[in-house]
Amino acid sequence: MKPMAELMRPLSLDDFVGQSQILGRGKPLYNLIVKKMIPNCILYGPPGTGKTTLANIMANYMDKKFYKLNATTASLKDIQNITSSLDNLLNYKGVVIYIDELQYFNKKQQQALLEFIENGKVTLIASTTENPYFAIHKAILSRCNVFRFLPLTVDEIIVGLERALGKLTEEGIKIKYSRDALKYIAESSQGDYRKAYNILELAVNSQMEQNKEISAEYVEKLEQSHMRADSSGDEFYNILSALQKSIRGSDPDASVHYLARLIKAGNMLAITRRLSVIAAEDIGLAYPNALSVVNSGLELALKVGFPEARIILSEIVIYLATLPKSNSAYAAINSAMEDLTHTNVGDVPDHLKDSHYGGAGRLGVKGYKYPHDYRNNYVSQEYMPRELRGKKYYIAQNNRYEDSIKKYWNSVKKVSESGDS
């Protein structure tokens, strides 16, 4: 018997649930499918959101021969077998090739499709769970439209579950269920229709009684909560991004939530690297000691390992989220790097060049003032290349530490300018 997820797969646009942002009635993709003018396209999104289902529906609307390949098992020969028969197809207006998980095709395999996509003999429909702008060859991307699929909402998943239960009832299976049970399944599946169907199927098949009863308590006992954080791919990096943005936004609760999701994925190295960056990028000079504290804590977490490392990581995350924030160091180096690309930065001033060799003076390398010979270890002199004089990279931000160093240096420079030595 086929899995419930396969049995419940919609066959028409009217039965398709979700992705209303691209498939709502009157939306461009909806209109293209109905008019049988389907373009080369890449369907991008998390598992269980309807990509394969929509590809099958598209095929039903087209007067073209439909081939389906999975990039994890297909080879270049499979593509060649399809394209070699293009001129021998009768009663078909071309070919549709659906390639699931296109990101697993290497560059050569993807390039094999280009000639036939360009001449219109092949319509490519591909799906991927990875960001196509990173995972797909640029030549393919430039010839395809990208449609992004979003995780399904709880309400959308409940619609599908109710349809599945209705179908089971029609087949003579007696099932009593509560709205709370369906909501629990929908929430546990994290926007993944396939996972939701699998949980429902397990809830039905695991009961010995003739009359089935599905409650939230029974579903909870199945222990099928599904958190999408597999330590690789888009979703993992989305969670890393959410962690950094929550810390930057000084929200310790959201920060700990995203940390928990990352811990569940088990990639300690990725967590430690991101927290190290956050200490410099987002806390920065508002509290420079954070670098030392975080480095010490991360070394301890790596030494201890999971599961106990979660406690150390939690302390670090809360510590960072509740510290004052400054990105002045981050902004300064970005601006300086940008100038290296787009600006003539000039030569190092002569008085700053290395003078520890005979003949340096004859080459004009002289005139450097040694700051430690002056009051407060400071003397005014030009350090920037001539082309960048007056350029400011470091702009102090409003926090206790940067305010204090700004006040200190204003005082030192004022004394220097007054000539009071």
Side-chain angles (χ1 to χ4, degrees):
M1 182 178 177
K2 289 184 178 180
M4 184 180 291
E6 192 64 31
L7 290 173
M8 293 304 301
R9 196 182 291 279
L11 300 176
S12 70
L13 279 177
D14 292 334
D15 294 331
F16 192 92
V17 178
Q19 312 309 330
S20 58
Q21 79 282 358
I22 56 172
L23 279 175
R25 191 175 293 272
K27 294 283 186 179
L29 183 56
Y30 177 94
N31 293 341
L32 287 168
I33 295 172
V34 171
K35 292 171 66 177
K36 301 183 179 182
M37 298 177 65
I38 298 170
N40 297 310
C41 57
I42 296 172
L43 312 178
Y44 155 55
T49 51
K51 301 184 297 297
T52 301
T53 296
L54 182 62
N56 290 330
I57 290 173
M58 286 177 167
N60 293 337
Y61 277 82
M62 301 176 76
D63 300 322
K64 295 186 177 183
K65 181 72 172 176
F66 184 74
Y67 295 94
K68 182 176 179 180
L69 300 175
N70 189 302
T72 59
T73 56
S75 66
L76 184 60
K77 185 173 178 60
D78 293 314
I79 300 173
Q80 292 170 340
N81 288 340
I82 294 171
T83 54
S84 64
S85 63
L86 289 176
D87 295 328
N88 300 321
L89 294 173
L90 299 175
N91 303 320
Y92 287 107
K93 298 178 181 178
V95 163
V96 177
I97 301 179
Y98 170 57
I99 304 177
D100 196 14
E101 303 296 347
L102 179 62
Q103 75 273 13
Y104 290 110
F105 264 2
N106 60 37
K107 185 175 180 180
K108 186 175 182 180
Q109 288 171 310
Q110 292 185 35
Q111 286 178 323
L113 296 166
L114 288 176
E115 176 188 347
F116 302 99
I117 293 173
E118 286 181 328
N119 64 26
K121 290 185 177 181
V122 168
T123 299
L124 174 67
I125 302 174
S127 64
T128 177
T129 56
E130 304 293 335
N131 189 327
Y133 297 100
F134 297 136
I136 307 302
H137 185 41
K138 288 182 180 180
I140 292 285
L141 270 181
S142 69
R143 293 162 175 80
C144 293
N145 299 280
V146 177
F147 296 100
R148 186 183 178 193
F149 281 55
L150 302 176
L152 285 102
T153 66
V154 168
D155 288 339
E156 287 169 343
I157 290 178
I158 288 175
V159 169
L161 294 175
E162 287 176 336
R163 287 182 181 177
L165 287 164
K167 191 165 186 175
L168 292 174
T169 301
E170 290 173 2
E171 293 177 358
I173 302 174
K174 297 178 181 179
I175 305 175
K176 181 181 178 181
Y177 64 90
S178 67
R179 174 82 179 182
D180 286 343
L182 300 189
K183 185 178 180 183
Y184 189 94
I185 293 173
E187 290 175 344
S188 298
S189 63
Q190 297 288 310
D192 184 335
Y193 239 146
R194 190 181 298 108
K195 181 66 178 179
Y197 283 135
N198 290 342
I199 295 173
L200 178 62
E201 189 171 30
L202 180 60
V204 173
N205 293 341
S206 62
Q207 297 188 42
M208 301 296 291
E209 297 81 3
Q210 188 72 23
N211 296 331
K212 318 290 185 183
E213 184 171 350
I214 303 174
S215 64
E217 291 75 20
Y218 187 79
V219 174
E220 185 176 7
K221 290 177 183 177
L222 298 174
E223 297 184 347
Q224 294 297 307
S225 179
H226 180 55
M227 187 60 63
R228 290 184 289 113
D230 61 357
S231 83
S232 64
D234 291 347
E235 187 61 21
F236 183 75
Y237 291 105
N238 286 340
I239 298 171
L240 275 175
S241 175
L243 172 68
Q244 180 164 5
K245 288 169 182 170
S246 298
I247 291 174
R248 182 185 297 150
S250 302
D251 188 332
D253 301 303
S255 301
V256 170
H257 166 74
Y258 292 116
L259 173 65
R261 294 173 70 165
L262 292 168
I263 289 172
K264 185 161 185 173
N267 192 331
M268 173 83 82
L269 184 59
I271 296 172
T272 57
R273 288 180 62 187
R274 184 57 64 104
L275 292 177
S276 299
V277 170
I278 291 169
E281 179 180 341
D282 296 306
I283 311 305
L285 289 167
Y287 199 84
N289 284 344
L291 279 173
S292 298
V293 174
V294 169
N295 183 62
S296 178
L298 293 178
E299 285 185 357
L300 190 59
L302 289 166
K303 185 182 296 183
V304 170
F306 287 135
E308 288 84 358
R310 77 189 189 284
I311 307 166
I312 301 166
L313 293 173
S314 178
E315 181 176 335
I316 293 170
V317 162
I318 295 170
Y319 170 73
L320 290 172
T322 54
L323 280 176
K325 308 294 190 294
S326 171
N327 74 336
S328 57
Y330 171 78
I333 190 60
N334 283 355
S335 180
M337 296 296 290
E338 184 76 10
D339 276 354
L340 295 183
T341 304
H342 301 293
T343 305
N344 175 17
V345 297
D347 194 15
V348 174
D350 285 341
H351 64 284
L352 299 183
K353 292 178 179 178
D354 179 27
S355 61
H356 293 88
Y357 59 92
R362 290 193 296 274
L363 294 176
V365 182
K366 57 186 177 180
Y368 172 64
K369 298 175 183 178
Y370 189 59
H372 297 299
D373 289 339
Y374 297 82
R375 184 177 179 182
N376 295 319
N377 305 85
Y378 173 79
V379 62
S380 178
Q381 65 182 323
E382 188 59 60
Y383 291 96
M384 275 289 195
R386 181 163 51 88
E387 290 82 355
L388 293 177
R389 284 178 186 173
K391 177 74 177 186
K392 296 290 184 185
Y393 291 121
Y394 170 61
I395 300 173
Q397 297 185 358
N398 296 323
N399 54 75
R400 184 181 297 178
Y401 180 79
E402 290 186 272
D403 283 344
S404 68
I405 59 175
K406 182 165 56 175
K407 183 178 179 181
Y408 170 78
W409 282 110
N410 284 342
S411 173
V412 168
K413 291 177 181 180
K414 186 175 181 181
V415 170
S416 176
E417 290 169 2
S418 69
D420 185 4
S421 58

